[in-house]
Amino acid sequence: MKNKKFLLVVMIALMAMLLTACGSEPAQTPDNAPVAEADYSGSVTDWMYEPESEDELTALLVTIDRTPYGSAGSSLQQVNSAVSLMKLAMDESGNAEETVKTYLEGMNDTQRDFFSFQWEHVQKTADALMDGSLDAAILEDAGDTDFDLKAVDSEKVKTLTETVTNLLRDAGVTDEWKNHTDLEPFSSAGA
């Protein structure tokens, strides 16, 4: 009986050591992708990517990346960015995914993490326009009167968003911005 108790105590001790060892290992991202190291020191302009050239599709990404929060008129600029996102998703050239890849490859870790924040919030605005919870009349105020919201295929928008999310995750983006709600613009956007 003493031997059984002794073995039980030894097994419990070994299990405790194994659990402690397992818990101390760093978390791995999918497919062992590197974890991005976002550094939110400096100004918000340091967090935005400045591409060397801007074709039409890259210009749409730049608009999304430059969306302000918490300032006067920012809601209209958010609508402009949502329109840019929907235009990118509806692009017929077949180059949207490659343009996004190239755009993200040019960024540092902080810029990619910040772009993840921008994309998520612009996506919410696009969704609100598409489902009618945001009145489409705001398109006129934002200067997007000619944009045909009815021509937008929500499945294409969803597919593009999934592609962008996967590209960001493959680059090691973990949405570090969510840990900085004390900083503008994260606090203004209701992060």
Side-chain angles (χ1 to χ4, degrees), residues 40 61 63-67 69 78 81-82 85 104 111-130 157 160-162 164-166 168-169 173-179 181 185-186 189-191:
Y40 284 111
L61 291 167
T63 300
I64 293 165
D65 209 8
R66 301 274 187 282
T67 307
Y69 292 90
Q78 291 163 25
S81 295
L85 187 153
L104 295 176
Q111 291 166 335
R112 276 189 288 271
D113 195 76
F114 185 68
F115 183 78
S116 180
F117 162 78
Q118 295 289 68
W119 187 273
E120 182 174 316
H121 286 81
V122 169
Q123 174 64 47
K124 288 178 184 177
T125 304
D127 287 344
L129 283 166
M130 289 185 296
V157 174
L160 179 63
T161 295
E162 289 171 357
V164 170
T165 300
N166 290 334
L168 288 166
R169 296 302 168 256
V173 173
T174 59
D175 292 337
E176 172 63 23
W177 60 267
K178 291 181 180 179
N179 296 324
T181 55
F186 310 130

Side-chain angles (χ1 to χ4, degrees), residues 133-168:
S133 59
L134 180 60
D135 189 351
I138 197 168
L139 290 170
E140 184 176 343
D141 295 338
D144 292 307
T145 307
D146 296 335
F147 183 72
D148 185 4
L149 192 56
K150 293 177 183 160
V152 176
D153 182 342
S154 61
E155 283 304 310
K156 286 185 177 183
V157 174
K158 181 181 175 184
T159 299
L160 179 63
T161 295
E162 289 171 357
T163 298
V164 170
T165 300
N166 290 334
L167 290 170
L168 288 166

Side-chain angles (χ1 to χ4, degrees), residues 34-140:
V35 175
E37 298 291 329
D39 175 13
Y40 284 111
S41 59
S43 73
V44 95
T45 55
D46 296 333
W47 311 340
M48 296 176 190
Y49 175 57
E50 190 67 45
E52 290 181 22
S53 64
E54 286 187 28
D55 57 41
E56 186 178 331
L57 296 178
T58 302
L60 296 173
L61 291 167
V62 169
T63 300
I64 293 165
D65 209 8
R66 301 274 187 282
T67 307
Y69 292 90
S71 60
S74 63
S75 62
L76 296 179
Q77 289 173 302
Q78 291 163 25
V79 169
N80 289 141
S81 295
V83 168
S84 291
L85 187 153
M86 290 183 280
K87 284 180 179 178
L88 189 64
M90 298 305 295
D91 176 67
E92 297 295 327
S93 72
N95 296 325
E97 183 175 339
E98 192 58 39
T99 300
V100 172
K101 282 182 188 176
T102 302
Y103 191 77
L104 295 176
E105 286 170 356
M107 296 177 159
N108 65 36
D109 291 337
T110 303
Q111 291 166 335
R112 276 189 288 271
D113 195 76
F114 185 68
F115 183 78
S116 180
F117 162 78
Q118 295 289 68
W119 187 273
E120 182 174 316
H121 286 81
V122 169
Q123 174 64 47
K124 288 178 184 177
T125 304
D127 287 344
L129 283 166
M130 289 185 296
D131 71 18
S133 59
L134 180 60
D135 189 351
I138 197 168
L139 290 170
E140 184 176 343

